[in-house]
């Protein structure tokens, strides 16, 4: 009987590329996003006056809380950690080291769980959508039109949007998991071939030595009295 893991296992992903190539592209993309976020945070820490001005300007509204330096440092540390994790996944997929892909896979599962909790909270507490819309700045485009829409329609639209995101994230998780299985299986095959080759070299003597071995002498004949 074929297990569910083997049934969904494949070595190709989107755009008909290999799972290793897809994992490398995904890791580089995540690294670029987190690098941009890290640069923005470092720029805000370097020039706090301009940073606070942009957050408290009339264009963005006054409903948002200004982040202090401690939260900015925490966010920068998280971005730096994400760059490290994505770099490990990219290096592990390129050099075929399966253990280096595990942290990135765990991050994907954690992110998927958080988005699932968001979808569940929208279903359990549908009024949270209206509360979130009220916190948006007044200059947000089509804010009044969206808030005048029926609450059930908003909840349905949010669930469809979150469902599409979850489906896409689940597909990326499957690609990274298949890459991990491919790399780990390939490493196991190489180790097996290496061990078999060494055992064969130890057990079998060279051909010249085997030819040079003199034949055994026959046992002496038994002489009866």
């Amino acid at each position: 009987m074929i297990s569910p893991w083997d049934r969904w296992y494949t070595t190709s992903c989107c755009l008909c590329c290999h799972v290793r190539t897809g994992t490398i592209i995904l890791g580089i993309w995540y690294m670029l996003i987190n690098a941009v976020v890290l640069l923005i945070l470092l720029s805000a820490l370097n020039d706090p006056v301009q940073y606070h001005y942009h957050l408290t300007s009339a264009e963005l509204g006054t409903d948002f809380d200004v982040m202090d330096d401690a939260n900015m440092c925490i966010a920068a540390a998280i971005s730096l950690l994400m760059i490290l994790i994505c770099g490990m996944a990219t290096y592990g997929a390129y050099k075929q080291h399966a253990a280096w892909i595990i942290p990135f896979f765990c991050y994907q599962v954690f992110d998927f769980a958080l988005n699932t909790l968001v979808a569940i909270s929208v279903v359990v507490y549908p009024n949270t959508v209206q509360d979130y819309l009220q916190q948006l700045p007044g200059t947000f485009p089509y804010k009044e039109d969206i808030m005048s829409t029926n609450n059930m329609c908003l909840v349905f639209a949010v669930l469809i949007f979150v469902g599409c995101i979850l489906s896409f994230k689940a597909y990326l998780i499957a690609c990274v998991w298949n890459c991990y299985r491919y790399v780990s299986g390939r490493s196991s095959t190489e180790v097996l071939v290496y061990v078999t080759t060494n055992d064969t070299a130890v057990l079998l003597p060279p051909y010249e030595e085997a030819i040079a071995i003199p034949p055994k002498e026959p046992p002496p004949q038994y002489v009866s009295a």
Side-chain angles (χ1 to χ4, degrees):
M1 181 178 179
I2 301 176
S3 61
W5 297 108
D6 295 333
R7 184 178 302 173
W8 294 102
Y9 174 72
T10 180
T11 57
S12 61
C13 58
C14 55
L15 300 178
C16 299
C17 62
H18 199 271
V19 288
R20 283 184 58 208
T21 307
T23 304
I24 292 172
I25 295 174
L26 185 62
I28 294 175
W29 173 249
Y30 272 80
M31 278 195 297
L32 291 176
I33 294 177
N34 287 277
V36 171
V37 173
L38 182 61
L39 289 177
I40 295 174
L41 293 174
L42 293 179
S43 300
L45 288 173
N46 189 27
D47 193 359
V49 177
Q50 185 179 2
Y51 169 72
H52 289 292
Y53 169 75
H54 282 295
L55 278 182
T56 58
S57 62
E59 295 180 356
L60 292 180
T62 59
D63 295 331
F64 290 99
D65 296 330
V66 178
M67 295 178 63
D68 54 1
D69 293 339
N71 292 330
M72 293 288 294
C73 292
I74 294 174
I78 293 175
S79 298
L80 185 61
L81 179 62
M82 286 304 306
I83 293 174
L84 178 62
I85 292 176
C86 297
M88 290 175 59
T90 304
Y91 178 80
Y94 180 73
K95 292 293 185 179
Q96 298 188 16
H97 298 308
W100 291 64
I101 308 176
I102 295 178
F104 184 68
F105 176 76
C106 294
Y107 158 72
Q108 285 185 304
V109 174
F110 180 73
D111 182 63
F112 183 83
L114 288 181
N115 286 272
T116 305
L117 291 178
V118 171
I120 295 175
S121 65
V122 171
V123 174
V124 177
Y125 303 103
N127 293 327
T128 55
V129 179
Q130 290 288 346
D131 296 337
Y132 177 76
L133 291 175
Q134 292 177 359
Q135 295 176 1
L136 293 175
T139 57
F140 188 82
Y142 306 106
K143 177 183 177 181
E144 298 297 333
D145 297 336
I146 296 175
M147 291 187 63
S148 61
T149 309
N150 188 10
N151 191 24
M152 294 303 298
C153 295
L154 287 176
V155 171
F156 184 72
V158 170
L159 288 178
I160 292 178
F161 179 73
V162 175
C164 294
I165 293 177
L166 290 177
S167 301
F168 182 68
K169 288 181 178 293
Y171 181 76
L172 295 180
I173 290 174
C175 292
V176 176
W177 175 250
N178 289 332
C179 177
Y180 170 77
R181 292 190 60 186
Y182 172 79
V183 172
S184 60
R186 186 178 178 87
S187 300
S188 302
T189 304
E190 290 179 356
V191 171
L192 180 61
V193 171
Y194 177 76
V195 173
T196 306
T197 305
N198 285 351
D199 292 342
T200 305
V202 172
L203 294 176
L204 297 179
Y207 179 77
E208 292 79 5
E209 295 182 4
I211 297 299
I213 295 177
K216 294 182 179 181
E217 297 181 358
Q221 297 180 359
Y222 178 73
V223 179
S224 59

